[in-house]
């Protein structure tokens, strides 16, 4: 049957709607190369979260001197920080993460970032996602290159929560996209049996588009099977207290269920807090902390084999601005969660908030290249050699210097 004929017949059953296909629509495939059972989930906070109001150096006078309106009070004060080690405290909106800190399953790495003077959201996110700083033309993501090393014939091995493949997962190996909670897993025209039959006839070849469709259908069947009960419940329009909490539950289900997802990605926005930062952070941090704690809980025993990495493009200025906010900075925190993390303490280099210790007299300096903690994870958890890590992060000299993972 000719494709034009099939498409004409499909249009009769879909009201003229033709579903666009793309090599990045649902799929994750590649050559098997000793796949690891370890899992990695990356949460990207777009907009540059203020790490200095996430983990607060409450023993430093400079913190309070620079932030008279937006500083978090010391422990035992109303809405004060939650003490971590006698020097640093956690933002109280992240109280759900305290049990993980006490269990030594959570750590923060000081001064992480992209080692240049760039404060452009677009460019720094681009470099952090492609893993090749300085190369604006490269639109292949480092997680896609990692998938190329780990990949098996599993159409849901790498999953993005969202309808569009993010740059960090773009590349020669397609990945599976699961709709965000607000979009849900809606019925498609190809779920109608006769339309499904016609599409299967249309895309039954060995060309790249046909293979993408075939693998995509496999991924969709897995998704539908995993979330069949949830789809019924969601049709009742029951409200959720936090989309992120619901989304990480889906991710945990894919990681632990028949989908056997190994790499996951979720991004969250609205962290660009130039104005009235305190109110905005309070609104955003609580569901973030609740979601991360829920993800750890939902993973169950699999949490011991899973690393959750939370990153943002850069930090923010030490000194608050005239709008009770903060502006684009440099060094930031990287958050690491996992059952085999040597947590309950900090890694990376912390200097002080004295002006002479700051980058350009205004920012936390970058003392750890963002690729280094990720390389440590790839080396220790995924058993990647330096040569393979160099495929993930070309031209980066990886060192096992942080040692935050138990072997």
């Amino acid at each position: 049957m000719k494709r034009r004929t099939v498409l004409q017949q499909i249009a009769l059953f879909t009201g003229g709607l033709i579903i666009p296909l793309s090599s990045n629509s649902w799929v994750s495939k590649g050559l098997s190369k000793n796949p690891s059972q370890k899992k990695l989930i990356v949460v990207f906070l777009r907009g540059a979260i203020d790490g200095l109001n996430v983990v607060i150096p409450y023993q430093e006078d400079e913190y309070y001197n620079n932030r008279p309106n937006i500083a978090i009070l010391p422990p035992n004060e109303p809405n004060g920080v939650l003490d971590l080690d006698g020097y640093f405290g956690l933002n109280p909106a992240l109280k759900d993460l305290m049990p993980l800190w006490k269990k030594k399953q959570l750590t923060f790495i000081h001064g992480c970032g992209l080692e240049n003077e760039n404060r452009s959201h677009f460019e720094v996110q681009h470099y952090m996602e492609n893993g090749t700083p300085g190369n604006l033309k490269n639109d292949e993501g480092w997680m896609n290159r990692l998938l190329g090393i780990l990949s098996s014939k599993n159409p849901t091995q790498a999953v993005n929560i969202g309808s569009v493949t993010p740059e960090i997962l773009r590349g020669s190996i397609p990945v599976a996209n699961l709709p965000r909670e607000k979009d849900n897993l809606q019925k498609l025209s190809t779920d109608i049996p006769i339309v499904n039959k016609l599409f299967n006839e249309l895309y039954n070849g060995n060309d790249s588009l046909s293979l993408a469709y075939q693998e995509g259908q496999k991924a969709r069947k897995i998704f539908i099977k995993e979330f069949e009960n949830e789809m019924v419940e969601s049709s009742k329009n029951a409200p959720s207290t936090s989309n992120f909490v619901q989304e990480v539950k889906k991710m945990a289900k894919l990681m632990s269920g028949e989908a056997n997802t190994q790499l996951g990605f979720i991004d969250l926005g609205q962290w660009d807090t130039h104005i009235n930062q305190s109110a905005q952070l309070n609104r955003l941090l609580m569901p973030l902390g609740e979601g991360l704690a829920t993800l750890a809980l939902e993973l169950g025993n699999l949490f011991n084999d899973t690393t959750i990495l939370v990153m943002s493009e850069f930090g923010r200025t030490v000194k608050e601005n005239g709008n009770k906010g903060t502006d684009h900075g440099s060094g930031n925190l990287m958050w690491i969660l996992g059952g085999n993390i040597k947590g309950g303490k900090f890694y990376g280099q912390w200097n002080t908030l004295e002006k002479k210790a700051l980058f350009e007299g205004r920012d936390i300096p970058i003392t750890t290249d963002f690729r280094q903690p990720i390389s440590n994870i790839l080396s220790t958890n995924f058993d990647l050699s330096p040569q393979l890590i160099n495929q993930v992060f070309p031209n980066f000299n990886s060192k096992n210097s942080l040692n935050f993972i138990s072997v």
Side-chain angles (χ1 to χ4, degrees):
M1 185 179 292
K2 294 182 179 180
R3 290 194 179 189
R4 176 178 295 180
T5 303
V6 174
L7 291 173
Q8 288 172 343
Q9 292 186 44
I10 290 170
L12 295 176
F13 294 98
T14 62
L17 173 64
I18 302 299
I19 301 168
L21 294 177
S22 133
S23 61
N24 282 325
S25 44
W26 300 311
V27 191
S28 153
K29 62 180 181 177
L31 300 175
S32 297
K33 295 181 182 178
N34 301 318
S36 166
Q37 296 305 307
K38 299 292 185 179
K39 316 273 187 176
L40 174 65
I41 300 171
V42 176
V43 180
F44 202 113
L45 308 180
R46 299 190 187 277
I49 188 173
D50 179 26
L52 202 51
N53 267 19
V54 171
V55 170
I56 296 97
Y58 68 85
Q59 291 286 8
E60 292 203 28
D61 291 338
E62 288 83 0
Y63 171 74
Y64 294 99
N65 292 338
N66 279 288
R67 299 184 166 207
N69 295 294
I70 66 171
I72 313 295
L73 296 174
N76 303 319
E77 295 284 344
N79 298 315
V81 304
L82 307 173
D83 182 57
L84 294 174
D85 67 348
Y87 192 89
F88 293 99
L90 188 66
N91 190 304
L94 292 168
K95 63 182 185 340
D96 290 316
L97 295 182
M98 284 302 293
L100 292 169
W101 177 267
K102 293 176 180 178
K103 291 178 184 177
K104 304 186 186 306
Q105 296 174 334
L106 166 66
T107 187
F108 299 93
I109 302 174
H110 292 299
C112 271
L114 180 70
E115 293 182 323
N116 65 14
E117 301 177 11
N118 198 327
R119 295 188 180 97
S120 161
H121 291 297
F122 172 79
E123 289 188 14
V124 178
Q125 286 184 30
H126 174 77
Y127 293 144
M128 282 191 155
E129 292 188 78
N130 68 28
T132 55
N135 186 352
L136 274 175
K137 295 182 179 180
N138 178 20
D139 60 358
E140 180 185 65
W142 65 262
M143 288 189 76
N144 193 280
R145 293 193 292 271
L146 173 61
L147 181 60
I149 295 170
L150 301 175
S151 70
S152 60
K153 295 180 179 179
N154 173 11
T156 52
Q157 185 175 6
V159 171
N160 163 61
I161 301 292
S163 58
V164 179
T165 304
E167 186 171 352
I168 199 169
L169 278 167
R170 288 181 201 159
S172 59
I173 303 179
V175 303
N177 288 317
L178 182 67
R180 308 226 52 147
E181 179 64 19
K182 65 178 181 179
D183 300 323
N184 225 320
L185 196 59
Q186 302 292 340
K187 286 281 187 179
L188 296 178
S189 300
T190 50
D191 295 327
I192 301 171
I194 190 167
V195 176
N196 182 268
K197 180 176 181 295
L198 291 170
F199 260 93
N200 289 341
E201 292 176 3
L202 179 63
Y203 295 105
N204 66 352
N206 293 318
D207 58 283
S208 60
L209 189 59
S210 294
L211 293 175
Y213 173 78
Q214 293 162 23
E215 292 295 318
Q217 283 296 87
K218 292 178 185 177
R220 181 164 178 80
K221 287 178 182 177
I222 292 173
F223 284 157
I224 290 175
K225 184 177 181 180
E226 290 284 3
F227 301 120
E228 185 174 9
N229 293 332
E230 183 179 330
M231 289 175 68
V232 173
E233 293 170 1
S234 67
S235 67
K236 299 176 182 178
N237 296 315
S240 64
T241 58
S242 169
N243 286 338
F244 182 59
V245 171
Q246 298 305 317
E247 287 169 353
V248 297
K249 285 183 178 180
K250 287 183 176 181
M251 182 64 76
K253 189 173 181 65
L254 292 174
M255 290 274 179
S256 58
E258 292 183 20
N260 197 25
T261 298
Q262 188 173 18
L263 303 179
F265 180 82
I266 307 175
D267 57 357
L268 301 170
Q270 302 182 23
W271 300 97
D272 197 13
T273 51
H274 289 283
I275 301 172
N276 296 326
Q277 174 175 291
S278 296
Q280 190 168 341
L281 273 190
N282 286 339
R283 176 176 60 84
L284 295 172
L285 284 177
M286 192 168 292
L288 175 61
E290 182 185 357
L292 291 172
T294 299
L295 179 55
L297 181 65
E298 293 286 321
L299 285 169
N301 292 333
L302 193 60
F303 186 54
N304 293 324
D305 292 319
T306 304
T307 304
I308 304 166
L309 186 154
V310 183
M311 59 192 294
S312 194
E313 62 262 39
F314 43 71
R316 307 193 74 82
T317 50
V318 172
K319 187 176 181 64
E320 68 179 58
N321 61 28
N323 295 313
K324 297 182 181 179
T326 51
D327 298 319
H328 299 178
S330 299
N332 206 347
L333 292 168
M334 182 175 282
W335 318 14
I336 311 284
L337 302 84
N340 68 339
I341 296 299
K342 297 185 205 174
K345 60 181 180 179
F346 298 96
Y347 294 86
Q349 180 180 334
W350 174 264
N351 298 318
T352 70
L353 295 182
E354 294 179 9
K355 191 169 184 177
K356 64 181 181 182
L358 302 180
F359 175 64
E360 296 185 344
R362 49 168 273 170
D363 301 337
I364 301 294
I366 295 173
T367 53
T368 298
D369 188 296
F370 77 97
R371 292 169 291 183
Q372 188 57 61
I374 303 171
S375 296
N376 290 153
I377 294 169
L378 301 184
S379 172
T380 306
N381 278 358
F382 291 88
D383 198 28
L384 264 60
S385 66
Q387 292 76 19
L388 289 176
I389 292 175
N390 199 249
Q391 290 182 27
V392 178
F393 294 120
N395 304 316
F396 176 64
N397 183 20
S398 172
K399 297 173 271 189
N400 290 317
S401 55
L402 296 172
N403 194 29
F404 57 84
I405 301 177
S406 299
V407 179

